[in-house]
Amino acid sequence: VRDITYTLIYPAYTERKNEIVPNSTGDLRVLQGTRVQLHTNTLIPATDASLLITGPEPQELKLSVMDGSSLKGEFTALEPQRFRFQLTTPDGNQVIERVERVVDILSDQTPRVSFVGNTQKRIVYPQDILSLRYEAHDDYGISAVDLVVNRKDTEYPPIRHRIETPKRTKKLANKAPLVIQDLSLFPGENVTCWLEVLDNNSLQESPQKGRSASIQLTMHSDRNQHQVILTDHQALIESMIVLLA
């Protein structure tokens, strides 16, 4: 066949415009889920034509033949694959081209999210309302951001709070509020919190998820604070003894 013209119809969630790739030798690199429409002309007359596709699930895709030489067809690129054209000439002979054309798949990237600023362990008090700064990124769009608090030393399940997020945004810088009183923590209790971000990939069984590093929070305890003071005083006394000696 001669050079191929491709029309790439990207998945709806990407909101990308259709793209025309003219005069292609055949090899493609496309995002997973892209519909590929092809048009080419044969070098010899043909009454029938198909694509012989090799990959995880080999198949034969019938093409429409017009005027004995113009071929059109469509397939959806889900897995890496190769294909060749097969033609049936007017005298009934089948001709299979020797060259295989390659379709490589570009994967949708996993979304990323991270806390910004101080992520060290911190002591919190019942009246505290934390404002945790974060940044999130995705190549085609963020659908949701959750703040998760895990009371790991208790029988309580993790607490999830959905953060209001603008629709169809690819880059986000925001603050996640955390009302400590709402967690009902015990004095001295340690919890970890992190962020989870979901993309808007509608081709997967569920959106892809990214997770931030964790921050450890400890509820203030008078007893623990007293122990810290005693430890600091003991360390100071030992230092003075060394200096006097």
Side-chain angles (χ1 to χ4, degrees):
V1 299
R2 303 181 188 276
D3 287 347
I4 305 170
T5 295
Y6 291 115
T7 300
L8 307 180
I9 303 173
Y10 294 101
Y13 77 87
T14 67
E15 298 187 340
R16 291 182 61 177
K17 295 182 179 179
N18 297 349
E19 180 181 356
I20 297 177
V21 183
N23 305 320
S24 172
T25 57
D27 291 348
L28 275 177
R29 298 184 73 231
V30 294
L31 182 69
Q32 186 178 42
T34 300
R35 287 169 48 206
V36 180
Q37 297 177 345
L38 63 85
H39 176 234
T40 188
N41 291 288
T42 63
L43 296 171
I44 59 175
T47 58
D48 194 32
S50 59
L51 291 184
L52 302 180
I53 300 175
T54 59
E57 297 182 5
Q59 58 179 308
E60 180 177 346
L61 176 67
K62 289 291 184 180
L63 302 176
S64 63
V65 181
M66 295 174 290
D67 301 325
S69 62
S70 178
L71 308 182
K72 288 186 177 181
E74 178 179 320
F75 63 90
T76 301
L78 296 173
E79 301 284 349
Q81 58 194 26
R82 297 171 180 267
F83 67 86
R84 293 183 293 172
F85 285 90
Q86 175 180 271
L87 305 178
T88 302
T89 62
D91 56 9
N93 292 325
Q94 281 193 337
V95 180
I96 301 176
E97 66 176 350
R98 296 180 179 178
V99 178
E100 281 191 318
R101 293 166 168 83
V102 178
V103 179
D104 285 330
I105 299 298
L106 300 175
S107 299
D108 185 2
Q109 299 299 306
T110 302
R112 307 182 307 279
V113 62
S114 60
F115 287 110
V116 178
N118 181 17
T119 58
Q120 302 298 317
K121 297 179 182 179
R122 63 176 73 178
I123 304 294
V124 295
Y125 295 82
Q127 69 273 18
D128 285 350
I129 300 177
L130 304 185
S131 184
L132 305 173
R133 295 171 53 216
Y134 70 91
E135 292 181 350
H137 307 265
D138 186 67
D139 46 0
Y140 291 109
I142 296 166
S143 65
V145 178
D146 290 338
L147 176 63
V148 184
V149 180
N150 184 25
R151 301 180 67 178
K152 56 184 178 179
D153 296 327
T154 71
E155 60 184 9
Y156 299 105
I159 301 169
R160 290 182 173 273
H161 173 62
R162 178 62 53 89
I163 303 169
E164 186 174 350
T165 303
K167 294 183 178 179
R168 299 185 179 89
T169 184
K170 297 180 181 180
K171 184 176 181 180
L172 183 63
N174 204 350
K175 295 179 181 179
L178 180 59
V179 181
I180 299 301
Q181 187 175 8
D182 292 346
L183 302 179
S184 301
L185 302 180
F186 304 118
E189 181 179 349
N190 294 311
V191 299
T192 55
C193 62
W194 63 84
L195 292 163
E196 293 180 358
V197 59
L198 304 178
D199 69 7
N200 61 359
N201 189 332
S202 58
L203 297 179
Q204 308 288 338
E205 293 183 1
S206 59
Q208 297 187 103
K209 180 190 297 183
R211 174 174 163 166
S212 73
S214 298
I215 296 177
Q216 181 172 314
L217 306 177
T218 301
M219 174 59 79
H220 171 76
S221 166
D222 290 337
R223 180 177 179 180
N224 289 350
Q225 185 66 26
H226 181 66
Q227 185 60 46
V228 169
I229 294 173
L230 290 179
T231 301
D232 290 344
H233 284 178
Q234 183 63 34
L236 178 60
I237 292 171
E238 292 177 356
S239 299
M240 292 178 64
I241 291 174
V242 172
L243 290 174
L244 292 174

